[in-house]
Amino acid sequence: MISFAWEGITSFSNFPLKVVTMLSFCVFALCILASLYALISLYFTHVVPGWFSTVLPLYFLGGVQLLGLGIIGEYIGKIYSEVKNRPKYFIEESLN
């Protein structure tokens, strides 16, 4: 049943792709906030050496990778929608 639900969610909409893209923007924003916090704590409090240079690149690269996957996913979703070759409109009545 879970596989049927997953198939239903991913087959008929591009919403999961948009969620990944929005999640990547959120991770990137959190990375910016974490870098500001780390810089402030680096200059005003005592921090563990190496924390700043270890954690922030991981957050940043994770956000960039998610952003890349989201953009590629949305692009492929649009290609898939176009390849289905569905008509853009239906003609209800034809006049001769």
Side-chain angles (χ1 to χ4, degrees):
M1 293 304 284
I2 293 174
S3 65
F4 288 132
W6 184 252
E7 189 69 27
I9 291 170
T10 58
S11 293
F12 297 111
S13 97
N14 291 337
F15 181 72
L17 302 173
K18 292 179 194 282
V19 169
V20 170
T21 305
M22 295 312 293
L23 181 67
S24 67
F25 283 122
C26 292
V27 168
F28 187 72
L30 287 174
C31 176
I32 297 297
L33 292 175
S35 64
L36 290 174
Y37 170 75
L39 284 173
I40 291 170
S41 64
L42 181 68
Y43 289 114
F44 294 115
T45 62
H46 178 71
V47 295
V48 177
W51 176 81
F52 180 75
S53 63
T54 303
V55 173
L56 290 181
L58 289 176
Y59 289 155
F60 178 75
L61 290 176
V64 168
Q65 286 176 345
L66 274 175
L67 180 63
L69 284 175
I71 290 172
I72 290 170
E74 286 194 32
Y75 183 68
I76 290 173
K78 289 183 183 193
I79 289 172
Y80 177 68
S81 296
E82 201 60 38
V83 168
K84 283 193 236 181
N85 209 10
R86 292 186 177 161
K88 295 185 192 246
Y89 54 88
F90 294 105
I91 299 174
E92 184 175 324
E93 184 179 339
S94 177
L95 300 175
N96 290 330

